[in-house]
């Protein structure tokens, strides 16, 4: 939970939970840099499409990194 916003990650298989927590923490940092400060309910509502696009791009990058191993 970050500023009364709960982030949830689901998986289809058994994955490293530390990797998921690291991903969520990093996504908060990226999102905060885009919003120039704090993330709260109103900023999420106002920028939902931007958050969705950021998540899509970050997940694509993560997939490429994991496949390269």
């Amino acid at each position: 939970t970050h500023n009364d916003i709960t982030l949830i990650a689901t998986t289809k298989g058994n994955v490293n939970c530390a990797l998921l927590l690291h991903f969520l923490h990093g996504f908060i940092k990226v999102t905060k840099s885009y919003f120039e400060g704090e993330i709260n309910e109103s900023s999420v509502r106002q920028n939902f499409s931007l958050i969705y696009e950021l998540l899509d791009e970050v997940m694509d990058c993560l997939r490429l990194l994991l496949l390269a191993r």
Side-chain angles (χ1 to χ4, degrees), residues 27-61:
F27 187 70
I28 289 172
K29 288 171 63 175
V30 168
T31 309
K32 284 172 76 172
S33 71
Y34 268 84
F35 297 149
E36 298 173 357
E38 290 301 314
I39 304 168
N40 53 36
E41 183 180 354
S42 65
S43 65
V44 170
R45 287 180 187 270
Q46 291 172 356
N47 299 297
F48 182 78
S49 60
L50 175 62
I51 292 172
Y52 185 82
E53 291 297 324
L54 279 173
L55 186 58
D56 186 44
E57 291 298 322
V58 169
M59 289 299 295
D60 285 344
C61 183

Side-chain angles (χ1 to χ4, degrees), residues 5-24:
I5 295 176
T6 302
L7 300 172
I8 298 172
T10 61
T11 65
K12 290 183 178 181
N14 188 14
V15 298
N16 185 347
C17 65
L19 179 64
L20 283 176
L21 292 174
H22 183 71
F23 170 76
L24 291 174

